[in-house]
Amino acid sequence: MVRDSARPPDDLRGLPDRHGRVARDLRVSVTDRCNLRCRYCMPAEGLPWLAKPEMLTDDELVRLVGIFVGLGVRQVRLTGGEPLLRRSLVDVVRRIADLDPRPSIAMTTNGVGLDRLAQPLADAGLDRINVSLDTVDPREFADLTRRDRLHDVEAGLKAAAAAGLTPVKVNAVAMRGINDHSVAELLQWCLDRGYELRFIEQMPLDAQHGWDASTMISADEVRDRLAERFTLTPLPAADRGSAPAERFLVDGGPETVGIIASVSAPFCAACDRTRLTADGQVRNCLFSQRETDLRGPLREGASDEEIAGLIRGEMWRKAPGHGIGTDAFVQPARPMSSIGG
Ligand code: SAM
Ligand code: SF4
C-alpha cells in the first residue's frame, strides 16, 4: 500500500517510507577521502575532497547517530571513502558503542592500515568487518586499485581475524578484462583462510560515470565462473531476510559464498537502509537524486526532535526502487565514495 503525504503519519514510528519499508540499518560515511583509486569507484587523480569545516565533527556525528538510534536504527555501518583514514575512528566507535540502546557496529574498509587498527577497533566495540578485496593477483590488484597495496590488505585481514572480528567478510567486485577470470582463485584463497566472500555487481556510482551495462559482470556470470571449479548449492531465499546476498554452500558446505545482484535482481523491496554522508546529509538511497541537510540545522541549534523530523521526512520519500536500466534512470551526482558504500 502506498500512503501519500509529505511526512509519515505520527502513528507510524521510526523511519518508515510510503512503500511499507522501515529503515533500521544506518550507513555512515566518516570521510570521503581514500588511499586507493579503484577503477569502479573513482578516477586516478582522486576527487575534490571535502574541506574540514564541511565535515561533521565527532560530536556532531555521534549526536546524529544517536538520533537515528532513537528512531529505531539497530545497526550502524561505518564506511566512506576509506573509514580508517579518519584519525578519530576508534573514539567514534567507542562513543557509538556507548549509545543506548547500543547498536551493532560494523565497518566496510579497504583494509589498508587495518593491521594496526583491528585490535583497537574491536576493543572499542566494533562487532563486524567487511574488507574489500577484488583479487589476490598482485598485478590485477595494482591495476584495479591503481596502488600496490595487496600486502597491506592481506595483513589487515589477518589482524581482523586475530582481533576476533569473525567471520571476516570479504567484498569483491568483478570487472571485465581485469579480474573476472580470477574469481574462483579469490574464492579458494578466502576458503583457505576462513574468510566469507561476497561478490557484488558493479553499479553506476563511479565518479567518472564509466559504468556500462553491457560490460558489467553479472551475478549469473560470476556464479557460472565459480561453478566451473566449485559445486554451488543455493541456500533457501527465506534465510535471507533483508540481506541482499544470494548465498550458496560451496562444495556441500559448511563454507558459503554470497553473490549480490544489486543491478540485475535488485533487493530494493526489502531495503532497510538509510545513509548519512560525511558532510551531514541524510540520503534515503544510494541512487537518490536528493538529500536532506542535517549539518546546517544542527549548527544553527536545532533540537533532536527537529532533526528527527527532518530524517523522517527524507526517509518517507524513499523511491520504491533504483530504476537502473530504465529510461528514467539518472546516475546521482554524488559518487559512491562520497555517499558511503
Ligand atoms: N573504502 C572502503 C572499501 O573499499 O571497502 C569503503 C567504501 S567503498 C565505496 C564500499 C564498498 O563499495 C566497497 O566494497 C567497494 O568495492 C564498493 N564499491 C565501490 N564502487 C562500487 C561500484 N561502482 N559498484 C559496486 N560496488 C562498489
Ligand atoms: Fe577507495 Fe573504497 Fe572507492 Fe576503492 S572502493 S577507491 S577503496 S572508497
Side-chain angles (χ1 to χ4, degrees):
M1 180 188 59
V2 177
R3 304 195 27 171
D4 247 338
S5 65
R7 285 180 174 266
D10 290 342
D11 62 308
L12 290 182
R13 324 256 321 162
L15 294 175
D17 67 35
R18 286 176 300 143
H19 306 280
R21 298 163 297 188
V22 179
R24 296 187 190 287
D25 176 348
L26 171 65
R27 315 250 148 165
V28 185
S29 171
V30 297
T31 176
D32 61 332
R33 289 165 192 262
C34 194
N35 41 13
L36 301 185
R37 295 286 183 274
C38 305
R39 289 179 186 275
Y40 47 69
C41 188
M42 58 173 80
E45 65 276 16
L47 293 167
W49 314 123
L50 288 169
K52 187 132 197 246
E54 295 176 273
M55 295 201 21
L56 295 176
T57 63
D58 289 359
D59 286 349
E60 290 170 340
L61 193 151
V62 173
R63 179 173 165 208
L64 287 179
V65 173
I67 296 171
F68 276 95
V69 167
L71 288 166
V73 158
R74 293 295 171 262
Q75 164 162 306
V76 176
R77 176 171 294 275
L78 304 176
T79 175
E82 176 43 48
L84 298 180
L85 293 182
R86 185 163 178 135
R87 289 216 183 102
S88 56
L89 184 69
V90 172
D91 205 43
V92 166
V93 169
R94 185 174 304 115
R95 292 177 65 181
I96 294 174
D98 277 344
L99 293 171
D100 185 20
R102 180 202 193 284
S104 78
I105 310 172
M107 185 172 71
T108 303
T109 169
N110 64 29
V112 176
L114 188 60
D115 55 341
R116 285 179 298 103
L117 281 167
Q119 191 63 57
L121 285 166
D123 293 344
L126 185 70
D127 298 301
R128 282 174 299 112
I129 198 156
N130 291 60
V131 178
S132 303
L133 175 62
D134 307 307
T135 173
V136 286
D137 177 300
R139 262 180 308 179
E140 286 179 7
F141 183 94
D143 185 10
L144 199 150
T145 67
R146 304 189 182 99
R147 296 288 184 276
D148 187 11
R149 307 298 295 268
L150 177 59
H151 287 302
D152 300 83
V153 183
E154 289 179 6
L157 278 160
K158 259 193 193 167
L165 295 168
T166 49
V168 174
K169 296 197 174 162
V170 171
N171 289 6
V173 176
M175 288 190 84
R176 197 171 298 285
I178 300 185
N179 63 334
D180 54 330
H181 287 283
S182 60
V183 293
E185 278 80 7
L186 179 61
L187 176 54
Q188 187 62 60
W189 190 89
C190 289
L191 292 172
D192 291 344
R193 289 159 183 78
Y195 307 145
E196 243 182 73
L197 176 63
R198 321 176 325 152
F199 288 95
I200 179 156
E201 283 176 344
Q202 187 186 347
M203 296 180 280
L205 283 169
D206 55 314
Q208 61 278 29
H209 291 222
W211 183 88
D212 183 345
S214 64
T215 57
M216 180 192 85
I217 304 282
S218 68
D220 285 349
E221 199 171 336
V222 169
R223 196 192 50 216
D224 290 348
R225 285 183 190 261
L226 296 179
E228 289 167 10
R229 184 172 320 172
F230 304 96
T231 304
L232 301 182
T233 315
L235 285 165
D239 293 354
R240 205 165 146 180
S242 63
E246 183 174 13
R247 289 171 66 221
F248 300 85
L249 289 177
V250 181
D251 291 341
E255 292 85 2
T256 60
V257 62
I259 307 182
I260 306 181
S262 23
V263 176
S264 60
F267 50 92
C268 303
C271 177
D272 64 353
R273 295 179 184 175
T274 175
R275 295 170 187 277
L276 178 63
T277 66
D279 56 346
Q281 315 294 306
V282 56
R283 294 179 66 92
N284 60 34
C285 175
L286 272 175
F287 296 95
S288 173
Q289 289 298 330
R290 49 159 296 158
E291 51 195 27
T292 295
D293 179 35
L294 303 181
R295 186 191 61 196
L298 196 75
R299 291 185 180 173
E300 283 153 21
S303 66
D304 284 8
E305 290 67 31
E306 285 165 332
I307 303 268
L310 292 171
I311 299 172
R312 269 167 60 81
E314 176 63 26
M315 293 315 296
W316 186 243
R317 279 187 288 272
K318 180 163 167 155
H322 59 46
I324 298 173
T326 65
D327 289 345
F329 179 77
V330 180
Q331 183 169 339
R334 262 192 204 261
M336 177 84 129
S337 58
S338 163
I339 300 170

